[in-house]
Amino acid sequence: MGMPGASSKSFQATPPDKGSFPLDHDGDCKKFMTAFMKCLKLNNQNGRLCREEAQAYLGCRMDNGLMAKEDWKKLGFNDKDADTSK
């Protein structure tokens, strides 16, 4: 007898679709992450109001090799959002 609902099959974990990404041990993008987190806190966790901060943080991660470079559209930003010169 085992636990109810237990199956004889073993559980197989699957990796995330985009794979893993390195942590920012050197703090290269800490100021961008902090700005994004502050924005979320000030806006009751409403990420739509923090799109500029999110884009700056993701841009920093891509620029510093902390995540794969992606097209902004794949990350949920349209062409008019894609100005990363800020």
Side-chain angles (χ1 to χ4, degrees):
M1 274 180 97
M3 293 177 38
S7 146
S8 61
K9 295 181 181 179
S10 64
F11 176 75
Q12 283 294 108
T14 58
D17 290 338
K18 294 285 185 181
S20 63
F21 58 89
L23 298 175
D24 187 7
H25 292 290
D26 296 329
D28 295 325
C29 299
K30 185 173 182 171
K31 71 177 185 177
F32 297 103
M33 182 270 301
T34 302
F36 177 59
M37 298 304 289
K38 283 182 182 177
C39 181
L40 287 174
K41 186 174 183 178
L42 290 171
N43 291 291
N44 295 318
Q45 308 303 317
N46 185 344
R48 290 181 182 180
L49 299 176
C50 302
R51 288 181 58 79
E52 288 182 18
E53 291 82 356
Q55 187 174 15
Y57 176 55
L58 292 173
C60 179
R61 290 192 60 85
M62 287 189 280
D63 292 344
N64 287 284
L66 296 169
M67 67 180 278
K69 291 207 181 259
E70 285 284 352
D71 183 80
W72 287 113
K73 285 184 180 182
K74 286 186 177 181
L75 296 174
F77 297 94
N78 63 34
D79 288 338
K80 76 174 187 175
D81 295 330
D83 177 17
T84 60
S85 62
K86 297 176 184 177

